[in-house]
Amino acid sequence: MDRVAFEHAVAEALARVPARFRDAVDNLAIIVEDEPSPQLLRTMHVPPGDTLFGLYQGVPLPERLWDHGNALPDRILIFQGPHEREATDAGDLVDTVTETLIHELGHYFGMTEEQIMDIEERYRSEEH
């Protein structure tokens, strides 16, 4: 799939994220990259043979101090290759990207892994 088509899938996935979360996002860039680098995988302690689908980079909302304004945007990286290899079809691709966005937005909002997993489980149980 070319980058433009994948970016359209990311936009569709973002539209599936509940509006209350989308509306609360400020100064956040969603960036598509081909693959996580070997250095990033090492830094994130990803075991050989595993990969990353996405990564939040920034200061979670609850950790921001009063002087955080005028900062560069936080970023969510979405890695195209892992999503394409995981997905069985175009619909599954959007579902997979949506789960990744939900997970990374959870980090942006300062949620614990347990809270994020609960939200992901609720997303998986809904029909798309």
Side-chain angles (χ1 to χ4, degrees):
M1 167 179 292
D2 68 21
R3 179 57 59 89
V4 172
F6 186 80
E7 288 175 351
H8 283 287
V10 172
E12 185 178 339
L14 185 58
R16 290 185 178 184
V17 172
R20 66 188 172 121
F21 293 111
R22 284 193 324 266
D23 294 345
V25 169
D26 184 45
N27 204 27
L28 177 70
I30 298 174
I31 299 166
V32 174
E33 292 190 358
D34 292 333
E35 298 283 343
S37 70
Q39 180 182 355
L40 177 60
L41 293 172
R42 283 191 302 277
T43 300
M44 300 301 297
H45 306 288
V46 176
D50 284 346
T51 192
L52 287 174
F53 289 86
L55 179 68
Y56 168 69
Q57 297 175 317
V59 178
L61 290 180
E63 296 176 20
R64 294 181 183 182
L65 301 175
W66 64 270
D67 62 348
H68 184 77
N70 204 24
L72 291 172
D74 288 8
R75 301 172 2 139
I76 291 178
L77 304 178
I78 300 293
F79 299 109
Q80 183 173 348
H83 283 95
E84 288 181 329
R85 288 188 295 276
E86 180 76 12
T88 57
D89 58 35
D92 189 44
L93 177 70
V94 173
D95 288 343
T96 305
V97 173
T98 304
E99 285 189 43
T100 300
L101 284 171
I102 289 169
H103 188 97
E104 302 311 330
L105 284 169
H107 290 302
Y108 169 83
F109 288 114
M111 295 177 179
T112 66
E113 284 296 323
E114 292 78 20
Q115 291 169 319
I116 294 169
M117 290 171 66
D118 287 344
I119 291 169
E120 289 173 333
E121 189 61 38
R122 280 183 268 159
Y123 171 76
R124 282 187 210 106
S125 68
E126 298 171 0
E127 290 197 25
H128 305 285

